[in-house]
């Protein structure tokens, strides 16, 4: 198992190195000089010269790259054009909001998607099955931002059930945030009003963000359960007269959920793309909103930093998923 | 009646919307006495496996119509509620399937797959079940059973897996065991071992066995009574020795002639049955075997023959059965 | 055996290729999802192609007499079926003209992605060895960056312009096609007919280009249908974020949606109309693509 993890980690090295080269090249390929790209349009001539010297643009390219790599390894991604703060600080400050949103969305997707897919497969050919297939196809084709607006219009603007924007009501500004995860903060500080407020703010964006992963998870689960139900070992289990609960849990789900695990890991990228759009619609102050704001302000250092961090997280998450897969599937474990 | 199992006029029809109904089993009747070993023989598609699934109550509910009766110790199984069936399956009647490679759950240890039967049907605690499971594995000839219990199916060879499946089937001491082609997927050298094991186990425990096979060679070694099926009907039945000595149905004759024998004179060729099971007639149009039959006569097309006594304790469904006393 | 005979044998082995498609179409024509998809696509193509002729008004000229003061957004009337937008322009006409833009961006970016992916996949699957490894690492790398973020990066690098957006969306889809084609080619190379050709001494390049490659294209075509839907959605997403690239006078569904969001409370139709247009167009290609995949999948054949 350890060998397996080490081998997988080694594969990551060229991918991440390649990515850093690509992003290094990206900044140089941006319109205008790198200094301008990093400083934005408001840069003065003096600033540009200073940056050029600082960045050692007079030195050979590989040395420039090594310098860049050295900084990146130390998590130094430069200064944000939007806020003039170090990019890494901006990221750390906004990360909890996006993490909270993403985890909630993934939770919704799994908790609704897996049972939906399971029952659709069990009642294969009935209205529930057709509704699940149709619903998941529509779920995949609705643009996240359109769905977000519709949710906002119906449930926030018209019905007023949920807040319109943000993570927190203005009147809660003085609430303490020891962790930065507002739901958790409410619990930790025992402030139930703040806890409830944080949850209300999460509901609509999380549903919007959950739609596509939910549709995908429901479909994969349905297909996997259909496959497993036709397996000989399920018939063997039935022939042993086991209760339907044992057959379902031990023999159907334990096998059918293996492919679902892998797919859940792959949702990270979708969630990040979706967070950029959802957070924009709900003015949710997370990483995604920051990326969206980086476009009109040409905040390239932020974009560069975000892409690197998010891609690294993505490959690490998939490594974790692979290892988890190995732990549940004995056939992989031995190899 | 003191039979263990009575199958009477069993009918199994597969019907799917937009397609023609398929009558897989057509008025099949047979009985199994306690401790008896019965062979159900025929080519694939003749309805023998479907019959066994019907007895186990494992046919899907949708798209299948069952007719007739299946009585186990006097209890009618057709139409019995699922929860009652679940309590009988594995405890009173159990089954071993054809392919040991796919019949075991790949992500659950062998031990759990054995103990779950004991926990369910013999009210055993986890520890007692584990001990009993090890004993069971030892009884079916798996060496080092306590280690094997922790292993997963892919760590076992095909023969070992089939032994494990037999252990699971016998775990709750059922009175009837159905073995559906239990050796077909195995290496030839392993086949004989598994058959020998089955034979021994059912003799020791007094379990009745329905042996489902396409191979008369398997039947010869172990069955008391043999039923030959063709296209969903029983075409011939007799005691084993009677059947082998005096096969009357041309299909049975064909099956016997296609078995290679060591005592066969050199140069004599094996005689295959012509055609394939696909070349058949509907029973409503005559004898289903007629298109492939060497003994065909005019009557064979038209009204189907009935199963009638040909010799004492020997029934055959044929207008022109194979000749008198010792024709081969 | 002569080479000619070998060729004949291989052709026979491959012949099921055409049959598979014919059979798939037969199955498609019985599948309601496929029919709905095809109808939606036909409608979308029709509207996009004849947009100028179908649109009741020009997309630019505001109908000022309808506007009764600043901030007034007239809803649906007999003259303007979907009402006017915040600048007094006919919404229906803008939706119709927007179809053309969506189709253009969708198709061109799909072509970029498909061609790029096919070249990479063909080289990786055909050449194998270190080249294959290199391409697969590149693919891993590209797939590690979330699609939208990737597209934003490329579009930013290429600067303003419609072409930049189309290339950006295309590049994001390159790894999908590359991986799919490579995997398919590796599987096809092991297929009986390819082994037969190889054992008969047909040249490797000829086996790969003449037989393995064309036989591996089926899933790529299916994926193309599905990707057209995601390309339309991705383009709308980029436009929503301000990266539409197109001339602001040309209506674009994603941008229309983004620009109307401040009027959501008083004129939700301005958001709903372009949103539904995107959903219906994408749904058409998704339904057809999924049905096609199902129809070609041997697992569903019975």
């Amino acid at each position: 198992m350890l060998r397996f993890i080490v081998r997988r980690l080694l594969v990551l090295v060229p991918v991440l190195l390649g990515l850093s080269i690509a992003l290094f090249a990206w900044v140089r390929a941006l319109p205008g000089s790198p200094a301008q790209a990093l400083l934005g349009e408001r840069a003065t001539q003096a600033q540009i010269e200073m940056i050029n010297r600082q960045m050692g643009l007079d030195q050979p390219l590989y040395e420039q790259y090594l310098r860049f790599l050295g900084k990146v390894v130390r998590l130094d991604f430069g200064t944000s054009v939007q806020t003039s703060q170090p990019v890494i600080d901006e990221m750390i400050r906004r990360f909890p909001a996006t993490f909270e949103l993403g985890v909630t969305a993934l939770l919704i997707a799994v908790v609704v998607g897996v049972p939906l897919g399971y029952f659709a497969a069990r009642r294969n050919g009935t209205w529930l099955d057709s509704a699940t297939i149709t619903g998941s196809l529509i779920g995949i084709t609705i643009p996240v931002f359109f769905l977000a607006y519709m949710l906002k219009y119906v449930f926030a603007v018209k019905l007023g059930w949920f807040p319109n924007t943000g993570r927190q009501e203005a009147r809660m500004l003085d609430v303490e945030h020891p962790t930065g995860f507002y739901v958790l903060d409410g619990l930790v500080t025992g402030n139930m009003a703040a806890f409830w407020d944080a949850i209300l703010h999460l509901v609509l964006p999380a549903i919007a963000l959950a739609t596509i992963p939910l549709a995908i998870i429901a479909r994969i689960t349905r297909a996997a359960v259909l496959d497993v139900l036709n397996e000989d070992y399920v018939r063997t289990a039935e022939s042993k007269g086991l209760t339907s609960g044992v057959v379902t849990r031990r023999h159907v789900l334990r096998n059918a959920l293996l492919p679902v695990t892998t797919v859940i890991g792959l949702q990270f990228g979708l969630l990040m793309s979706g967070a950029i759009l959802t957070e924009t619609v709900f003015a949710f102050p997370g990483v995604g909103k920051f990326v969206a704001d980086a476009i009109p302000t040409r905040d390239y250092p932020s974009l560069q930093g975000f892409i690197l961090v998010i891609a690294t997280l993505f490959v690490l998450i998939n490594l974790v998923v692979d290892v988890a897969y190995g732990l549940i599937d004995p056939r992989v474990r031995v190899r | 009646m003191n039979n263990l199992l009575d199958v009477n006029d069993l009918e199994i029809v597969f019907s799917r919307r937009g397609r023609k109904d398929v009558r897989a089993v057509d008025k099949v009747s047979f009985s199994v006495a306690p401790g008896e070993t019965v062979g159900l023989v025929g080519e694939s598609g003749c309805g023998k496996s479907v019959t066994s699934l019907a007895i186990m109550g494992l046919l899907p509910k949708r798209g299948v119509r069952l007719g007739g009766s299946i009585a186990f110790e006097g209890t009618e199984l057709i139409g019995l509620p699922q929860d009652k069936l679940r309590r009988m399956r594995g405890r009173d009647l159990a089954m071993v399937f054809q392919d040991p490679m796919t019949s075991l759950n790949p992500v659950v240890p062998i031990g759990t797959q054995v103990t779950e039967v004991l926990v369910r049907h013999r009210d055993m605690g986890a520890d007692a079940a584990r001990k009993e499971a090890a004993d069971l594995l030892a009884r079916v000839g798996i060496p080092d059973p306590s280690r094997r219990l922790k292993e997963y199916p892919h760590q076992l060879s095909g023969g070992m897996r089939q032994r494990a499946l037999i252990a699971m089937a016998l775990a709750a001491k059922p009175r009837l065991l159905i073995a559906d082609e239990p050796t077909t997927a195995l290496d030839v050298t392993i086949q004989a071992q598994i058959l020998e094991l089955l034979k021994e186990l059912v003799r020791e425990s007094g379990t009745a066995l329905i042996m489902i096979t396409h191979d008369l060679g398997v039947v010869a070694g172990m069955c008391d009574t043999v039923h030959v099926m063709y296209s969903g009907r029983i075409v011939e039945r007799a005691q084993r020795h009677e059947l082998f000595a005096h096969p009357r149905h041309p299909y049975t004759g064909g099956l016997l002639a296609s078995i290679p024998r060591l005592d066969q004179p050199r140069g004599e060729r094996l005689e295959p049955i012509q055609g394939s099971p696909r070349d058949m007639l509907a029973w409503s149009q005559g004898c289903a075997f007629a298109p492939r039959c060497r003994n065909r006569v005019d009557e064979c097309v038209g009204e189907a023959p009935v199963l009638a006594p040909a010799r004492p304790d020997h029934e055959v469904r044929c207008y022109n059965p194979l000749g008198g006393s010792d024709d081969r | 055996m002569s080479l000619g005979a070998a060729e004949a044998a291989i052709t026979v082995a491959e012949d099921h290729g055409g049959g598979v498609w014919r059979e798939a179409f037969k199955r498609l024509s019985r599948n309601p999802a496929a029919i709905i998809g095809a109808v939606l696509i036909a409608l979308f193509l029709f509207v996009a192609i004849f947009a100028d002729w179908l649109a009741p008004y020009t997309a630019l000229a505001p109908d000022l007499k309808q506007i009764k003061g600043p901030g007034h957004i007239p809803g649906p009337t007999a003259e303007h079926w979907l009402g006017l937008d915040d600048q007094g322009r006919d919404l229906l006409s803008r939706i119709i003209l927007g179809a053309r833009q969506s189709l253009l961006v969708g198709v061109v970016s799909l072509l970029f992605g498909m061609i790029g992916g096919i070249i990479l996949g063909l080289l990786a699957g055909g050449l194998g060895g270190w080249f294959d490894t290199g391409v697969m690492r590149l693919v891993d790398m590209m797939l590690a960056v979330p699609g939208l973020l990737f597209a934003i990066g490329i579009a930013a690098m290429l600067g303003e312009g419609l072409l930049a957006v189309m290339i950006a969306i295309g590049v994001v889809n390159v790894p999908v096609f590359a991986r799919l084609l490579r995997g398919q080619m590796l599987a096809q190379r092991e297929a009986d007919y390819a082994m037969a050709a190889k054992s008969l001494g047909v040249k490797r390049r000829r086996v790969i280009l003449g037989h393995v490659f064309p036989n591996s294209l089926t899933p790529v075509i299916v994926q193309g249908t599905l990707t057209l839907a995601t390309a339309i959605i991705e383009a709308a997403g980029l436009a929503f974020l301000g990266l539409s690239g197109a001339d602001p006078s040309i209506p674009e569904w994603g941008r229309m949606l983004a620009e109307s969001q401040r009027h959501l409370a008083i004129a939700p139709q301005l958001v709903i109309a372009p949103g539904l247009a995107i959903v219906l167009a994408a749904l058409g290609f998704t339904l057809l693509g999924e049905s096609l995949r199902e129809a070609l999948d041997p697992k569903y054949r019975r």
Side-chain angles (χ1 to χ4, degrees):
Chain A
M1 195 70 215
L2 196 69
R3 242 208 183 136
F4 171 72
I5 298 174
V6 169
R7 210 173 49 218
R8 285 299 319 262
L9 273 171
L10 285 179
V11 176
L12 293 189
V13 174
V15 169
L16 291 178
L17 271 181
L19 200 71
S20 70
I21 295 175
L23 279 167
F24 172 76
W26 176 68
V27 169
R28 268 140 198 86
L30 285 169
S33 71
Q36 218 160 17
L38 288 174
L39 287 169
E41 279 177 342
R42 284 166 294 174
T44 63
Q45 193 57 40
Q47 274 178 313
I48 289 175
E49 269 167 30
M50 193 181 75
I51 281 286
N52 273 346
R53 220 173 315 118
Q54 264 181 12
M55 287 175 58
L57 287 179
D58 40 340
Q59 282 162 18
L61 218 53
Y62 75 91
E63 246 170 67
Q64 292 180 37
Y65 168 69
L66 287 181
R67 187 195 274 255
F68 165 77
L69 193 64
K71 279 186 173 178
V72 162
V73 169
R74 278 175 276 128
L75 298 179
D76 175 3
F77 303 114
T79 309
S80 160
V81 175
Q82 292 176 70
T83 62
S84 308
Q85 299 289 315
V87 169
I88 185 69
D89 292 352
E90 294 292 345
M91 270 195 256
I92 290 170
R93 198 146 57 81
R94 287 175 170 78
F95 176 74
T98 302
F99 186 81
E100 206 171 49
L101 179 62
V103 167
T104 312
L106 197 58
L107 217 62
I108 295 174
V110 172
V111 168
V112 181
V114 169
L116 202 61
Y118 173 75
F119 286 112
R122 263 278 143 109
R123 308 206 187 340
N124 184 15
T126 64
W127 67 268
L128 178 76
D129 191 23
S130 320
T132 306
I133 300 171
T134 316
S136 69
L137 281 182
I138 293 174
I140 290 168
T141 50
I142 290 190
V144 177
F145 54 96
F146 175 52
L147 182 70
Y149 275 131
M150 289 299 98
L151 289 172
K152 189 167 150 177
Y153 177 67
V154 176
F155 296 102
V157 177
K158 283 280 144 182
L159 297 171
W161 292 356
F162 298 99
N164 216 329
T165 51
R167 289 180 84 186
Q168 196 176 42
E169 288 303 311
R171 63 187 155 80
M172 301 237 173
L173 268 181
D174 51 345
V175 167
E176 276 178 79
H177 294 297
T179 65
F181 301 98
Y182 285 13
V183 175
L184 202 63
D185 287 340
L187 281 179
V188 170
T189 59
N191 187 340
M192 281 304 128
F195 168 72
W196 188 238
D197 180 60
I199 287 189
L200 283 181
H201 277 88
L202 266 181
V203 172
L204 293 183
I207 290 174
L209 193 54
T211 318
I212 295 180
L214 193 159
I216 293 172
I217 289 172
R219 280 170 53 109
I220 299 287
T221 308
R222 174 181 174 273
V225 170
L226 275 182
D227 278 354
V228 171
L229 283 178
N230 282 324
E231 291 284 352
D232 287 348
Y233 54 77
V234 173
R235 196 178 56 186
T236 306
E238 290 286 5
S239 82
K240 294 195 246 177
L242 304 173
T243 58
S244 57
V246 172
V247 174
T248 301
R249 264 178 286 118
R250 189 177 293 159
H251 296 283
V252 178
L253 283 182
R254 208 184 275 188
N255 282 284
L257 290 185
L258 284 176
V260 179
T261 329
T262 322
V263 169
I264 289 174
L266 292 173
Q267 299 313 303
F268 176 76
L270 268 178
L271 284 172
M272 275 321 300
S273 292
I276 298 174
L277 300 164
T278 311
E279 290 182 2
T280 306
V281 172
F282 287 97
F284 197 86
V287 173
K289 174 94 169 59
F290 195 68
V291 168
D293 291 341
I295 299 167
T297 53
R298 294 174 198 278
D299 187 356
Y300 296 127
S302 295
L303 279 180
Q304 189 187 32
F306 277 120
I307 294 174
L308 253 177
V309 169
I310 285 165
T312 310
L313 278 179
F314 181 82
V315 289
L316 285 178
I317 285 174
N318 279 292
L319 175 74
V320 171
V321 169
D322 275 1
V323 172
Y325 191 102
L327 286 178
I328 0 182
D329 191 338
R331 287 163 295 186
V332 180
R333 208 184 302 161
V334 180
R335 247 182 267 148
Chain B
M1 226 183 284
N2 50 7
N3 277 332
L4 185 67
L5 180 79
D6 278 300
V7 176
N8 243 312
D9 287 343
L10 179 67
E11 275 190 291
I12 303 171
V13 180
F14 291 98
S15 55
R16 279 171 71 177
R17 229 191 312 173
R19 297 203 189 175
K20 261 172 79 180
D21 285 4
V22 179
R23 191 171 293 264
V25 174
D26 193 359
K27 303 249 182 229
V28 162
S29 306
F30 65 96
S31 316
V32 181
E36 189 189 15
T37 296
V38 169
L40 218 53
V41 184
E43 290 162 318
S44 50
C46 72
K48 56 192 197 305
S49 292
V50 182
T51 303
S52 66
L53 290 175
I55 297 170
M56 293 295 291
L58 288 174
L59 287 172
K61 259 182 254 133
R62 262 193 300 161
V64 179
R65 282 206 313 273
L66 288 178
S69 129
I70 301 171
F72 183 83
E73 293 179 329
T75 309
E76 177 56 50
L77 297 183
I78 293 181
L80 200 68
Q82 265 300 318
D83 57 320
K84 291 222 173 92
L85 261 177
R86 278 182 190 280
R87 234 166 289 145
M88 293 180 73
R89 275 204 298 260
R91 187 188 66 188
D92 302 323
L93 45 159
M95 188 157 174
V96 175
F97 294 97
Q98 179 170 355
D99 190 351
M101 304 315 271
T102 58
S103 294
L104 284 166
N105 187 337
V107 300
V108 172
I110 300 288
T112 311
Q113 299 190 52
V114 181
T115 53
E116 63 186 1
V117 184
L118 299 167
V119 172
R120 163 83 168 143
H121 296 299
R122 284 172 66 183
D123 293 323
M124 284 191 179
D127 288 332
R130 211 170 306 127
K131 210 173 284 161
E132 174 73 13
D135 286 348
L136 277 164
L137 289 196
R139 253 179 70 202
V140 297
I142 295 181
D144 201 358
S146 37
R147 184 171 61 88
R148 291 296 185 184
L149 284 178
K150 293 188 206 96
E151 291 191 341
Y152 289 89
H154 70 272
Q155 291 164 285
L156 269 62
S157 68
M160 283 298 148
R161 290 190 200 194
Q162 194 60 295
R163 286 172 193 269
L165 278 157
I166 292 171
M168 289 168 206
L170 293 176
K173 303 199 163 93
R175 272 148 294 163
L176 175 66
L177 177 67
I178 303 176
D180 184 2
E181 307 253 11
T183 58
T184 311
L186 300 173
D187 286 348
V188 184
T189 46
I190 313 290
Q191 287 184 359
Q193 292 176 16
I194 294 289
L195 287 178
E196 203 50 45
L197 174 73
L198 269 175
K199 210 157 101 182
E200 209 180 287
L201 288 171
V202 296
R203 203 190 48 226
E204 272 172 25
S205 57
T207 306
L209 174 66
I210 299 179
M211 189 77 194
I212 291 173
T213 179
H214 64 276
D215 184 352
L216 275 176
V218 168
V219 169
M222 55 196 306
C223 295
D224 304 315
T225 313
V226 182
H227 306 269
V228 180
M229 282 184 79
Y230 191 82
S231 185
R233 290 193 186 186
I234 289 177
V235 293
E236 181 164 23
R237 72 163 124 241
Q239 299 292 306
R240 182 216 322 175
H241 295 295
E242 165 72 16
L243 188 86
F244 280 83
H246 311 288
R248 305 305 299 266
H249 199 282
Y251 176 60
T252 317
L255 285 179
L256 283 172
S258 55
I259 304 176
R261 289 159 58 148
L262 284 176
D263 58 355
Q264 207 159 335
R266 277 180 72 106
E268 192 174 296
R269 289 173 150 245
L270 288 175
E271 290 175 58
I273 303 176
Q274 294 168 335
S276 81
R278 266 200 272 176
D279 312 320
M280 63 185 173
L281 220 54
W283 283 106
S284 58
Q285 294 169 302
C287 174
F289 187 62
R292 299 169 69 189
C293 185
R294 288 159 184 252
N295 279 28
R296 185 175 54 230
V297 289
D298 290 347
E299 292 159 278
C300 295
V301 179
E303 198 162 323
V306 293
L307 196 60
R311 289 163 54 93
D313 290 326
H314 190 156
E315 290 175 290
V316 68
R317 188 191 296 277
C318 186
Y319 287 121
N320 185 22
L322 299 174
S325 48
D326 259 310
D327 62 305
R328 51 164 297 132
Chain C
M1 208 192 294
S2 73
L3 211 64
E7 287 282 290
I10 295 156
T11 316
V12 169
E14 275 179 286
D15 194 42
H16 69 273
V20 165
W21 276 98
R22 214 170 307 126
E23 212 188 304
F25 280 119
K26 217 188 281 166
R27 225 165 307 126
L28 276 185
S29 62
R30 287 194 302 257
N31 182 351
I35 293 167
I36 295 171
V39 169
L40 284 174
I41 293 172
L43 193 71
F44 176 57
L45 292 179
F46 178 76
V47 169
I49 292 166
F50 298 104
D52 284 331
W53 185 74
L54 286 169
Y57 300 88
T58 64
L60 275 174
D63 191 351
L64 290 171
K65 63 179 186 297
Q66 301 278 340
I67 298 182
K68 300 189 171 63
H72 175 67
I73 299 174
T77 60
E79 294 122 77
H80 301 282
W81 291 359
L82 291 180
L84 302 175
D85 73 358
D86 56 343
Q87 307 195 17
R89 296 171 298 194
D90 181 56
L91 185 57
L92 181 63
S93 302
R94 287 176 64 78
I95 295 286
I96 289 172
L97 290 161
R100 173 179 294 173
Q101 189 69 9
S102 260
L103 181 65
L104 179 72
V105 176
V107 169
V108 175
S109 50
L110 170 70
L111 285 179
F112 281 138
M114 237 172 141
I115 292 168
I118 286 175
I119 292 172
L120 275 186
L122 179 60
L123 290 174
L127 295 179
W130 63 266
F131 192 88
D132 183 28
T133 314
V135 168
M136 288 330 283
R137 286 297 152 270
L138 184 70
V139 164
D140 283 348
M141 207 174 92
M142 291 167 95
L143 287 174
V145 184
L148 189 64
L149 203 54
F150 195 2
I152 290 171
I154 305 272
M157 186 174 81
L158 298 175
E160 302 285 303
L162 188 59
L163 194 65
V165 169
M166 296 193 290
I167 292 176
I169 297 170
V171 169
V172 170
N173 287 311
V174 163
V176 177
F177 288 109
R179 192 152 78 167
L180 187 65
L181 180 63
R182 171 191 174 265
Q184 199 63 26
M185 282 181 68
L186 291 190
Q188 287 281 335
R189 278 169 76 165
E190 302 299 315
D192 290 343
Y193 73 87
M195 289 305 210
K198 212 168 128 193
S199 65
L200 290 166
V202 181
K203 265 204 187 125
R204 197 170 92 124
R205 199 175 62 192
R206 192 142 161 225
V207 175
I208 286 172
L209 286 180
H211 303 287
V212 171
F213 173 60
N215 276 297
S216 307
L217 276 179
T218 306
V220 176
I221 293 166
V222 173
Q223 184 60 43
T225 318
L226 294 168
T227 302
L228 198 49
T230 50
I232 289 172
I233 297 170
E234 272 160 9
L238 283 179
F240 173 77
L241 292 172
L243 289 167
S244 83
D247 176 352
S249 65
I250 299 173
E252 210 283 343
W253 292 341
R255 192 167 51 200
M256 285 165 69
L257 211 158
E259 283 168 355
S260 315
Q261 50 108 348
R262 50 208 159 94
H263 308 299
L264 185 63
I266 52 161
Q269 76 273 11
L270 293 188
V271 173
I272 295 172
L276 275 185
I278 299 168
V279 172
L280 290 179
L283 192 61
F285 291 106
T286 306
L287 282 175
L288 189 72
E290 290 290 345
S291 314
L292 201 58
R293 188 195 340 238
E294 216 168 277
L296 287 165
D297 187 341
K299 214 166 62 184
Y300 292 95
R301 239 174 271 155
R302 229 165 268 155

